[in-house]
Amino acid sequence: MNAHPWFYRLSLVATAMALCVVVLGAWVRLTDAGLGCPDWPGCYGQWDVPNTDEAIAAANQAFPDTPVDIGKGWREMVHRYLASMLGLLIVGLGVFAWRQRHRPGQPWRVPLLLVALVCFQGVLGAWTVTWQLKPAVVTAHLLGGLTTLSLLWWVTLRSNQMGGGGRLSRVPGLGAFLAIGTLVAVAQISLGGWTSTNYAALACNDFPACSLGEYWPEEADFAEGFVLWRGLGVNYEFGVLDHPARMAIHLVHRVGAIVVTLVLGGLAFWLWRAGGLGRTMGMAVAGALALQVLIGIGNVIYNLPLALAVAHNAGAALLMLVLVTVFHVRQPVARP
Protein backbone atom coordinates (compact mmCIF):
# COMPACT_ATOMS: atom_id res chain seq x y z
CA MET A 1 0.00 0.00 0.00
CA ASN A 2 0.93 3.63 -0.36
CA ALA A 3 1.06 6.33 2.28
CA HIS A 4 -1.99 8.44 3.04
CA PRO A 5 -2.87 10.40 -0.14
CA TRP A 6 -2.74 13.75 1.66
CA PHE A 7 0.68 12.93 3.09
CA TYR A 8 1.93 12.29 -0.42
CA ARG A 9 0.45 15.56 -1.72
CA LEU A 10 1.85 17.60 1.15
CA SER A 11 5.30 16.03 0.81
CA LEU A 12 5.28 16.91 -2.89
CA VAL A 13 4.41 20.52 -2.05
CA ALA A 14 7.15 20.58 0.59
CA THR A 15 9.69 19.28 -1.93
CA ALA A 16 8.80 22.02 -4.40
CA MET A 17 8.97 24.62 -1.64
CA ALA A 18 12.37 23.30 -0.48
CA LEU A 19 13.71 23.65 -4.01
CA CYS A 20 12.50 27.26 -4.06
CA VAL A 21 14.15 27.93 -0.69
CA VAL A 22 17.48 26.50 -1.91
CA VAL A 23 17.45 28.55 -5.12
CA LEU A 24 16.24 31.69 -3.34
CA GLY A 25 18.97 31.24 -0.72
CA ALA A 26 21.57 31.10 -3.50
CA TRP A 27 20.14 34.28 -5.02
CA VAL A 28 20.28 36.05 -1.64
CA ARG A 29 23.90 34.99 -1.13
CA LEU A 30 25.01 35.87 -4.67
CA THR A 31 23.42 39.33 -4.52
CA ASP A 32 25.34 39.99 -1.28
CA ALA A 33 22.12 40.20 0.72
CA GLY A 34 23.06 37.63 3.36
CA LEU A 35 23.49 40.44 5.88
CA GLY A 36 20.64 42.51 4.45
CA CYS A 37 19.20 42.14 7.95
CA PRO A 38 22.04 42.18 10.51
CA ASP A 39 19.97 40.60 13.29
CA TRP A 40 17.84 37.46 13.58
CA PRO A 41 14.99 36.48 13.36
CA GLY A 42 13.75 40.01 12.71
CA CYS A 43 15.21 42.77 10.56
CA TYR A 44 16.69 45.75 12.42
CA GLY A 45 14.58 44.81 15.41
CA GLN A 46 11.25 44.47 13.57
CA TRP A 47 9.41 41.80 11.57
CA ASP A 48 9.72 43.52 8.22
CA VAL A 49 12.28 45.80 6.58
CA PRO A 50 12.41 49.42 7.76
CA ASN A 51 10.93 51.53 4.96
CA THR A 52 10.02 54.91 6.44
CA ASP A 53 12.47 57.71 7.11
CA GLU A 54 11.93 57.42 10.85
CA ALA A 55 12.34 53.62 10.89
CA ILE A 56 15.44 53.76 8.69
CA ALA A 57 17.04 56.44 10.86
CA ALA A 58 16.35 54.40 14.00
CA ALA A 59 17.73 51.24 12.38
CA ASN A 60 20.88 53.00 11.22
CA GLN A 61 21.40 54.37 14.71
CA ALA A 62 20.95 50.90 16.26
CA PHE A 63 23.17 49.19 13.67
CA PRO A 64 25.70 51.83 12.56
CA ASP A 65 27.99 49.29 10.87
CA THR A 66 25.23 47.97 8.58
CA PRO A 67 23.11 50.82 7.18
CA VAL A 68 19.71 49.86 5.80
CA ASP A 69 19.55 48.65 2.20
CA ILE A 70 15.85 48.07 1.57
CA GLY A 71 16.39 45.81 -1.47
CA LYS A 72 18.86 43.54 0.32
CA GLY A 73 16.71 43.51 3.42
CA TRP A 74 13.61 42.35 1.57
CA ARG A 75 15.54 39.65 -0.28
CA GLU A 76 16.77 38.28 3.02
CA MET A 77 13.37 38.51 4.72
CA VAL A 78 11.47 36.85 1.87
CA HIS A 79 13.93 33.97 2.14
CA ARG A 80 13.33 33.78 5.90
CA TYR A 81 9.55 33.88 5.47
CA LEU A 82 9.58 31.07 2.90
CA ALA A 83 12.02 28.98 4.94
CA SER A 84 9.80 29.41 8.01
CA MET A 85 6.74 28.27 6.06
CA LEU A 86 8.69 25.23 4.89
CA GLY A 87 9.73 24.47 8.45
CA LEU A 88 6.14 24.56 9.67
CA LEU A 89 5.07 22.30 6.80
CA ILE A 90 7.80 19.79 7.65
CA VAL A 91 6.73 19.75 11.29
CA GLY A 92 3.18 19.11 10.11
CA LEU A 93 4.39 16.25 7.92
CA GLY A 94 6.23 14.77 10.89
CA VAL A 95 3.09 14.85 13.04
CA PHE A 96 1.00 13.44 10.19
CA ALA A 97 3.50 10.63 9.57
CA TRP A 98 3.66 9.70 13.27
CA ARG A 99 -0.12 9.49 13.53
CA GLN A 100 -0.28 7.34 10.38
CA ARG A 101 2.77 5.21 11.23
CA HIS A 102 0.75 1.97 11.49
CA ARG A 103 -0.59 2.36 7.96
CA PRO A 104 1.23 -0.02 5.55
CA GLY A 105 3.47 1.93 3.20
CA GLN A 106 3.53 5.07 5.36
CA PRO A 107 7.05 6.49 5.87
CA TRP A 108 7.52 7.96 9.32
CA ARG A 109 11.19 7.62 10.31
CA VAL A 110 12.53 10.02 7.68
CA PRO A 111 9.76 12.60 8.29
CA LEU A 112 10.71 12.67 11.97
CA LEU A 113 14.38 13.02 10.98
CA LEU A 114 13.38 15.95 8.77
CA VAL A 115 11.78 17.72 11.74
CA ALA A 116 15.09 17.55 13.63
CA LEU A 117 17.01 18.60 10.52
CA VAL A 118 14.86 21.65 9.82
CA CYS A 119 15.24 22.78 13.43
CA PHE A 120 19.02 22.57 13.06
CA GLN A 121 18.72 24.45 9.77
CA GLY A 122 17.05 27.25 11.71
CA VAL A 123 20.01 27.36 14.08
CA LEU A 124 22.43 27.47 11.14
CA GLY A 125 20.37 30.27 9.59
CA ALA A 126 20.67 32.28 12.79
CA TRP A 127 24.42 31.63 12.99
CA THR A 128 24.82 32.63 9.35
CA VAL A 129 23.67 36.13 10.28
CA THR A 130 24.98 36.51 13.84
CA TRP A 131 28.39 35.07 12.90
CA GLN A 132 28.52 37.36 9.85
CA LEU A 133 28.57 34.88 6.96
CA LYS A 134 31.22 32.59 8.41
CA PRO A 135 32.10 30.29 5.44
CA ALA A 136 31.93 27.04 7.41
CA VAL A 137 28.44 27.91 8.68
CA VAL A 138 27.14 29.15 5.32
CA THR A 139 28.45 26.02 3.59
CA ALA A 140 26.85 23.82 6.26
CA HIS A 141 23.59 25.75 5.78
CA LEU A 142 23.73 25.05 2.03
CA LEU A 143 24.36 21.35 2.63
CA GLY A 144 21.52 21.25 5.16
CA GLY A 145 19.17 22.78 2.62
CA LEU A 146 20.12 20.26 -0.06
CA THR A 147 19.83 17.41 2.46
CA THR A 148 16.34 18.62 3.42
CA LEU A 149 15.35 18.79 -0.25
CA SER A 150 16.76 15.31 -0.96
CA LEU A 151 15.03 13.68 2.01
CA LEU A 152 11.72 15.32 1.15
CA TRP A 153 11.98 13.97 -2.39
CA TRP A 154 12.83 10.53 -1.01
CA VAL A 155 9.74 10.63 1.23
CA THR A 156 7.60 11.76 -1.70
CA LEU A 157 8.82 8.93 -3.92
CA ARG A 158 8.40 6.29 -1.21
CA SER A 159 4.94 7.60 -0.29
CA ASN A 160 3.52 6.78 -3.69
CA GLN A 161 6.10 4.21 -4.88
CA MET A 162 6.67 6.44 -7.89
CA GLY A 163 8.86 4.91 -10.57
CA GLY A 164 8.55 1.35 -9.29
CA GLY A 165 10.90 0.97 -6.33
CA GLY A 166 13.19 -2.03 -6.59
CA ARG A 167 13.21 -2.32 -10.38
CA LEU A 168 16.99 -1.90 -10.47
CA SER A 169 17.72 -3.86 -7.30
CA ARG A 170 19.36 -6.73 -9.20
CA VAL A 171 21.85 -4.69 -11.24
CA PRO A 172 25.24 -6.00 -10.02
CA GLY A 173 27.49 -3.45 -8.35
CA LEU A 174 24.99 -0.62 -8.71
CA GLY A 175 24.57 -0.05 -4.96
CA ALA A 176 28.28 0.52 -4.34
CA PHE A 177 28.69 2.62 -7.49
CA LEU A 178 25.69 4.76 -6.56
CA ALA A 179 26.92 5.27 -2.98
CA ILE A 180 30.37 6.34 -4.17
CA GLY A 181 28.88 8.62 -6.80
CA THR A 182 26.63 10.30 -4.24
CA LEU A 183 29.50 10.81 -1.77
CA VAL A 184 31.64 12.34 -4.52
CA ALA A 185 28.78 14.63 -5.57
CA VAL A 186 28.21 15.78 -1.97
CA ALA A 187 31.94 16.45 -1.55
CA GLN A 188 31.94 18.53 -4.73
CA ILE A 189 28.86 20.48 -3.63
CA SER A 190 30.67 21.17 -0.34
CA LEU A 191 33.65 22.47 -2.30
CA GLY A 192 31.29 24.60 -4.36
CA GLY A 193 29.81 26.08 -1.20
CA TRP A 194 33.30 26.75 0.16
CA THR A 195 34.27 28.40 -3.13
CA SER A 196 31.20 30.64 -3.13
CA THR A 197 31.32 31.65 0.53
CA ASN A 198 35.01 32.57 0.23
CA TYR A 199 34.32 34.58 -2.95
CA ALA A 200 36.70 32.39 -4.95
CA ALA A 201 34.51 31.70 -7.97
CA LEU A 202 36.54 34.01 -10.21
CA ALA A 203 39.96 33.45 -8.65
CA CYS A 204 40.76 31.53 -11.83
CA ASN A 205 39.36 33.59 -14.68
CA ASP A 206 40.56 31.49 -17.63
CA PHE A 207 39.38 28.17 -18.98
CA PRO A 208 40.68 25.49 -19.21
CA ALA A 209 43.78 27.14 -17.72
CA CYS A 210 43.50 28.92 -14.37
CA SER A 211 45.10 32.27 -15.09
CA LEU A 212 47.49 33.70 -17.68
CA GLY A 213 47.79 30.34 -19.36
CA GLU A 214 48.86 28.54 -16.16
CA TYR A 215 46.93 25.43 -15.18
CA TRP A 216 48.38 25.13 -11.67
CA PRO A 217 49.86 28.47 -10.51
CA GLU A 218 52.65 28.11 -7.98
CA GLU A 219 51.39 30.96 -5.83
CA ALA A 220 48.17 29.09 -4.90
CA ASP A 221 48.03 28.91 -1.08
CA PHE A 222 46.21 25.70 -0.15
CA ALA A 223 47.04 25.85 3.57
CA GLU A 224 45.42 29.26 3.95
CA GLY A 225 42.52 28.49 1.62
CA PHE A 226 41.24 25.58 3.68
CA VAL A 227 41.35 26.91 7.23
CA LEU A 228 37.87 25.92 8.37
CA TRP A 229 37.64 27.94 11.58
CA ARG A 230 39.02 31.44 12.09
CA GLY A 231 37.18 32.34 15.27
CA LEU A 232 34.26 34.71 15.76
CA GLY A 233 33.94 38.46 15.45
CA VAL A 234 35.04 38.67 11.79
CA ASN A 235 32.75 39.97 9.04
CA TYR A 236 33.19 37.58 6.10
CA GLU A 237 31.07 39.55 3.62
CA PHE A 238 33.09 39.81 0.37
CA GLY A 239 35.69 37.44 1.87
CA VAL A 240 38.81 37.82 3.98
CA LEU A 241 41.28 35.68 1.99
CA ASP A 242 43.97 36.99 -0.31
CA HIS A 243 44.10 35.99 -3.98
CA PRO A 244 46.50 32.99 -3.66
CA ALA A 245 44.21 31.36 -1.07
CA ARG A 246 41.11 31.94 -3.20
CA MET A 247 42.95 30.56 -6.22
CA ALA A 248 43.75 27.37 -4.29
CA ILE A 249 40.08 26.90 -3.40
CA HIS A 250 39.05 27.37 -7.01
CA LEU A 251 41.67 24.90 -8.25
CA VAL A 252 40.49 22.20 -5.85
CA HIS A 253 36.91 22.77 -6.97
CA ARG A 254 37.99 22.29 -10.58
CA VAL A 255 39.77 19.05 -9.73
CA GLY A 256 36.64 17.93 -7.91
CA ALA A 257 34.61 18.66 -11.03
CA ILE A 258 36.86 16.31 -13.02
CA VAL A 259 36.47 13.56 -10.41
CA VAL A 260 32.68 13.98 -10.29
CA THR A 261 32.46 13.90 -14.08
CA LEU A 262 34.42 10.65 -14.25
CA VAL A 263 32.56 8.93 -11.40
CA LEU A 264 29.02 10.03 -12.31
CA GLY A 265 29.74 9.54 -15.99
CA GLY A 266 30.69 5.96 -15.12
CA LEU A 267 27.51 5.58 -13.06
CA ALA A 268 25.42 6.86 -15.97
CA PHE A 269 27.04 4.33 -18.31
CA TRP A 270 26.52 1.52 -15.73
CA LEU A 271 22.83 2.38 -15.54
CA TRP A 272 22.50 2.70 -19.32
CA ARG A 273 23.91 -0.81 -19.77
CA ALA A 274 21.16 -2.20 -17.52
CA GLY A 275 18.55 -1.27 -20.15
CA GLY A 276 14.91 -0.39 -19.55
CA LEU A 277 14.43 1.93 -16.61
CA GLY A 278 18.19 1.84 -15.99
CA ARG A 279 18.76 3.42 -19.39
CA THR A 280 16.34 6.22 -18.53
CA MET A 281 18.03 6.82 -15.20
CA GLY A 282 21.45 6.76 -16.84
CA MET A 283 20.37 9.43 -19.30
CA ALA A 284 18.98 11.51 -16.42
CA VAL A 285 22.28 11.32 -14.49
CA ALA A 286 24.28 12.13 -17.61
CA GLY A 287 21.99 15.04 -18.50
CA ALA A 288 22.08 16.61 -15.02
CA LEU A 289 25.85 16.15 -14.87
CA ALA A 290 26.44 17.67 -18.31
CA LEU A 291 24.20 20.63 -17.51
CA GLN A 292 26.07 21.31 -14.27
CA VAL A 293 29.49 21.11 -15.93
CA LEU A 294 28.43 23.46 -18.73
CA ILE A 295 26.99 25.98 -16.27
CA GLY A 296 30.20 25.86 -14.23
CA ILE A 297 32.33 26.52 -17.32
CA GLY A 298 29.97 29.31 -18.36
CA ASN A 299 30.36 31.00 -14.98
CA VAL A 300 34.10 31.31 -15.55
CA ILE A 301 33.96 32.29 -19.23
CA TYR A 302 31.22 34.90 -18.78
CA ASN A 303 32.55 36.31 -15.47
CA LEU A 304 29.93 34.88 -13.09
CA PRO A 305 26.65 36.38 -14.34
CA LEU A 306 23.98 36.22 -11.65
CA ALA A 307 21.59 34.04 -13.64
CA LEU A 308 24.25 31.39 -14.32
CA ALA A 309 25.56 31.51 -10.77
CA VAL A 310 22.07 30.86 -9.36
CA ALA A 311 21.52 28.18 -12.02
CA HIS A 312 24.70 26.43 -10.82
CA ASN A 313 23.13 26.05 -7.38
CA ALA A 314 19.88 24.86 -8.93
CA GLY A 315 21.89 22.39 -11.01
CA ALA A 316 23.43 20.92 -7.86
CA ALA A 317 19.93 20.48 -6.43
CA LEU A 318 18.76 18.82 -9.64
CA LEU A 319 21.69 16.42 -9.59
CA MET A 320 20.88 15.38 -6.02
CA LEU A 321 17.21 14.85 -6.92
CA VAL A 322 18.23 12.59 -9.80
CA LEU A 323 20.55 10.55 -7.56
CA VAL A 324 17.81 10.19 -4.94
CA THR A 325 15.48 8.94 -7.69
CA VAL A 326 18.04 6.33 -8.70
CA PHE A 327 18.26 5.21 -5.05
CA HIS A 328 14.48 4.88 -5.05
CA VAL A 329 14.20 2.77 -8.18
CA ARG A 330 16.90 0.49 -6.80
CA GLN A 331 15.51 0.20 -3.25
CA PRO A 332 12.97 -2.62 -2.79
CA VAL A 333 9.41 -1.59 -1.90
CA ALA A 334 9.25 -3.61 1.32
CA ARG A 335 10.72 -0.98 3.66
CA PRO A 336 9.50 2.56 2.98
Side-chain angles (χ1 to χ4, degrees), residues 198-206 210-212 214 217-222 224-226 230 238-251 254:
N198 282 285
Y199 299 86
L202 292 177
C204 291
N205 54 9
D206 287 344
C210 173
S211 180
L212 300 176
E214 292 186 89
E218 293 183 2
E219 65 266 30
D221 189 347
F222 294 93
E224 185 66 18
F226 289 92
R230 298 178 185 275
F238 307 115
V240 299
L241 300 179
D242 56 17
H243 184 69
R246 299 187 195 206
M247 185 180 291
I249 295 171
H250 189 110
L251 286 170
R254 285 198 184 186

Side-chain angles (χ1 to χ4, degrees), residues 90-151:
I90 288 174
V91 171
L93 282 171
V95 173
F96 198 149
W98 177 254
R99 296 185 65 177
Q100 295 287 327
R101 66 189 182 278
H102 300 301
R103 177 190 177 101
Q106 172 65 57
W108 59 272
R109 297 176 182 86
V110 176
L112 293 182
L113 174 62
L114 275 163
V115 173
L117 177 59
V118 80
C119 290
F120 185 57
Q121 270 292 89
V123 173
L124 288 175
W127 287 348
T128 294
V129 175
T130 58
W131 291 359
Q132 298 177 293
L133 305 183
K134 192 171 185 60
V137 174
V138 180
T139 301
H141 197 40
L142 168 66
L143 292 174
L146 289 172
T147 301
T148 301
L149 171 64
S150 299
L151 291 178

